[in-house]
Amino acid sequence: QPDTIEGLKPLYAAIIHGCMAGLAKEARSKIYRDRILRGTDGFGAFYSWKRLGAYSSNLQVLSCFFHQPWIEFSSSIPRFARGWILNEVAMQLSGLGRISEALQAMRLALSFTRQSKNVAVFNANLAEIEILLGDLAAASKHGKSGIVAAIRFKEWTRICNTLAITAMTYLERGLWSEAQRHFIGAKK
């Protein structure tokens, strides 16, 4: 596996060529998710942006999965993958400081993902973006929705994450006892 952005360049090029050849579905899963991100669970996951900060490079190749970036998907991208791709887009935009655009992409991601275990993650990510924009009421709402989804899908690590994010929204609003209750729940 490449350990630098420079080393990832051939993989980014492979995604572009794969999308041009009508193989966007395979490029997303086999190259972007498995090789560039190094998976989405566990230590080392999301490697390209969490470890290398390759937001711009990732965003460039994510655009290949669309006919019109962030609006109209390539027809070869299955519906079940669209929310996940938009979540990735939102994370890259957020990492680049393009928070308003990240908010739009994240809201759209959530609209594709109503019946998936990703609902917890997407709600938590949306709440974090809303915190950055100062919309604490919306962040609390999405944090709570993330907790409910994590419990429903028995995603125990997601429960901890969404409890902590929800606690942050209460803390920012000055609701100390609610924040404490959620932080304690996250610690358990």
Side-chain angles (χ1 to χ4, degrees):
Q1 293 280 18
D3 291 329
T4 64
I5 294 174
E6 187 68 30
L8 290 174
K9 284 184 179 180
L11 296 175
Y12 289 130
I15 290 175
I16 294 167
H17 293 296
C19 289
M20 291 171 65
L23 300 170
K25 179 182 172 185
E26 294 80 1
R28 179 200 69 90
S29 61
K30 293 184 179 7
I31 302 172
Y32 185 77
R33 185 193 63 209
D34 296 347
R35 308 256 336 262
I36 291 174
L37 294 183
R38 295 188 182 179
T40 59
D41 286 316
F43 182 77
F46 301 103
Y47 181 82
S48 61
W49 57 273
K50 285 192 174 183
R51 300 278 193 269
L52 300 178
Y55 302 109
S56 184
S57 298
N58 286 0
L59 193 60
Q60 181 182 6
V61 298
L62 286 166
S63 71
C64 294
F65 302 131
F66 294 85
H67 291 299
Q68 184 178 354
W70 331 149
I71 297 170
E72 184 185 345
F73 278 94
S74 164
S75 58
S76 62
I77 296 294
R79 183 164 176 78
F80 75 85
R82 293 176 182 191
W84 185 89
I85 291 169
L86 283 163
N87 178 68
E88 273 298 295
V89 166
M91 295 296 92
Q92 308 317 303
L93 289 167
S94 184
L96 291 168
R98 295 165 59 182
I99 308 301
S100 295
E101 291 173 85
L103 178 67
Q104 293 170 356
M106 198 67 246
R107 284 181 176 157
L108 192 53
L110 196 55
S111 74
F112 277 102
T113 316
R114 296 283 179 216
Q115 299 301 319
S116 160
K117 66 182 184 177
N118 286 334
V119 171
V121 175
F122 293 4
N123 270 294
N125 290 344
L126 181 55
E128 286 188 282
I129 292 168
E130 290 165 336
I131 290 169
L132 291 173
L133 290 170
D135 190 349
L136 301 177
S140 291
K141 175 185 161 229
H142 288 110
K144 289 177 190 175
S145 295
I147 293 167
V148 170
I151 292 169
R152 183 177 68 208
F153 290 105
K154 297 181 172 89
E155 292 284 317
W156 308 119
T157 57
R158 305 288 186 236
I159 293 169
C160 178
N161 184 40
T162 53
L163 279 166
I165 291 166
T166 304
M168 288 178 5
T169 67
Y170 287 121
L171 191 61
E172 289 291 327
R173 293 166 67 191
L175 301 171
W176 310 110
S177 62
E178 281 297 307
Q180 182 181 29
R181 187 171 65 82
H182 283 76
F183 277 128
I184 288 170
K187 186 178 176 184
K188 291 180 182 179

